[in-house]
């Protein structure tokens, strides 16, 4: 009977081993068990949709340009141009005149604030900035704005043109003095720039309060945009050194 018991033991041994293996579940089986569990948290529909739409690329894939896309700088420029074309109105001559006037006054006030502190380097930079800003503005007014005033406003426009040109000629003459004082380190520089600021502010008020509103009243929006483009073009071509004689010739015409 011993042999029979031995054979029975051999037959039972693999069954026990199989049961043990069944108790130790594989990762896949464990995953299936978890999936069947009623306590498993389900993903929300939004998360499921997001997961399905997510690209197979790595987490930094969105920072790389796709094939055929513009380079980053060119794309940014294209977007900026598109935004400007769709959202920003075109500049008019009033926009540019007001901006020039405010920028010039801001530079002159900066100089006034630091002139008492003795910062010679900053004073020199501001004198150069004021001179160039007024020079470009003066040239554009002489080339574009003043002839338009004379043409559209008749005798009043011609008289206003002569007065404005004479004022600009004097301002540019004072700027030549200021540039010479900047080079020599003259203590009179602050006084000269103060005269420039007072003259420029007076000139600015006359234009903004009287002549420019009268000029714009008879112009369409399209004409104001066209005059603005001509004004900006004249600024881009203007000599950088003060030109009082050239402006003075217009005043005498």
């Amino acid at each position: 009977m011993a042999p029979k018991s031995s054979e029975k033991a051999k037959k039972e041994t693999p069954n026990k081993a199989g049961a043990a293996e069944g108790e130790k579940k594989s990762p896949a089986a464990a995953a299936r068990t978890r999936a069947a569990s009623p306590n498993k948290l389900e993903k929300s529909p939004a998360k499921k949709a997001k997961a399905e739409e997510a690209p197979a690329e790595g987490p930094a894939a969105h920072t790389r340009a796709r094939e055929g896309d513009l380079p980053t700088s060119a794309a940014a420029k294209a977007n900026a141009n598109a935004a400007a074309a769709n959202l920003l109105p075109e500049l008019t001559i009033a926009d540019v005149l007001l901006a020039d006037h405010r920028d010039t006054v801001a530079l002159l006030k900066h100089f006034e604030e630091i002139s008492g502190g003795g910062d010679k380097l900053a004073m020199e930079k501001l004198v150069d900035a004021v001179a160039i800003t007024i020079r470009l503005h003066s040239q554009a007014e002489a080339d574009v704005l003043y002839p338009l005033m004379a043409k559209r406003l008749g005798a009043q426009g011609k008289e206003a043109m002569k007065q404005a040109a004479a004022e600009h000629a004097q301002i540019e003459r004072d700027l030549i003095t200021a540039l010479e004082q900047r080079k020599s380190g003259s203590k009179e520089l602050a006084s000269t720039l103060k005269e420039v600021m007072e003259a420029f502010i007076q000139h600015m008020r006359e234009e903004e309060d009287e002549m420019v509103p009268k000029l714009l009243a008879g112009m369409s929006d399209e004409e104001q945009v066209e005059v603005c483009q001509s004004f900006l073009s004249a600024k881009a071509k203007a000599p950088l050194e003060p030109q009082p004689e050239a402006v003075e010739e217009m005043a005498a015409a």
Side-chain angles (χ1 to χ4, degrees), residues 1-251:
M1 295 298 292
K4 289 183 179 181
S5 299
S6 176
E7 289 176 4
K8 185 177 180 180
K10 288 180 180 179
K11 289 180 180 180
E12 290 177 351
T13 300
N15 291 337
K16 291 180 179 179
E21 289 176 2
E23 292 175 359
K24 185 179 180 182
K25 295 180 181 179
S26 66
R32 287 194 296 272
T33 300
R34 288 195 299 270
S37 173
N39 295 326
K40 180 180 180 295
L41 294 176
E42 291 286 336
K43 285 185 179 180
S44 67
K47 288 185 178 180
K48 285 183 177 179
K50 187 174 181 181
E52 290 172 359
E53 293 175 0
E57 298 168 309
H62 67 284
T63 64
R64 299 193 297 269
R66 294 185 179 86
E67 186 176 356
D69 283 354
L70 292 171
T72 303
S73 58
K77 186 176 181 180
N79 290 338
N81 290 339
N86 293 330
L87 300 178
L88 299 179
E90 292 186 278
L91 289 174
T92 67
I93 184 60
D95 296 326
V96 175
L97 283 173
L98 292 174
D100 277 7
H101 289 167
R102 301 303 179 271
D103 288 347
T104 304
V105 172
L107 289 170
L108 287 164
K109 287 187 175 180
H110 272 303
F111 181 90
E112 186 179 45
E113 288 175 2
I114 69 166
S115 60
D119 189 340
K120 292 184 179 180
L121 180 59
M123 291 170 65
E124 290 176 4
K125 289 180 178 179
L126 282 168
V127 169
D128 290 342
V130 168
I132 290 175
T133 301
I134 291 180
R135 171 85 279 278
L136 300 183
H137 179 78
S138 177
Q139 187 69 50
E141 286 196 336
D143 290 348
V144 177
L145 189 66
Y146 297 158
L148 193 62
M149 289 168 56
K151 180 180 179 180
R152 290 187 173 247
L153 300 179
Q156 185 183 20
K158 290 179 181 178
E159 184 62 30
M161 178 193 75
K162 290 181 179 180
Q163 180 180 344
E167 290 170 355
H168 259 298
Q170 183 57 51
I171 289 172
E172 293 211 42
R173 196 172 288 110
D174 289 340
L175 285 173
I176 290 176
T177 301
L179 290 169
E180 292 172 349
Q181 291 172 339
R182 172 188 64 85
K183 293 177 182 177
S184 64
S186 171
K187 295 181 179 180
E188 300 299 321
L189 178 59
S191 177
T192 301
L193 262 290
K194 183 177 180 180
E195 292 178 6
V196 169
M197 182 165 68
E198 291 174 351
F200 186 85
I201 289 176
Q202 177 63 30
H203 170 82
M204 175 187 75
R205 287 174 176 166
E206 290 171 357
E207 284 188 350
E208 293 183 7
D209 295 343
E210 300 174 21
M211 299 314 301
V212 173
K214 292 179 181 179
L215 179 64
L216 298 181
M219 298 174 63
S220 66
D221 293 343
E222 291 76 12
E223 287 175 321
Q224 292 188 41
V225 170
E226 290 176 3
V227 173
C228 174
Q229 294 302 319
S230 299
F231 192 92
L232 293 174
S233 178
K235 286 181 67 175
K237 298 174 183 177
L240 299 182
E241 295 294 327
Q243 307 285 321
E245 293 81 7
V247 179
E248 204 166 35
E249 288 178 6
M250 176 171 286

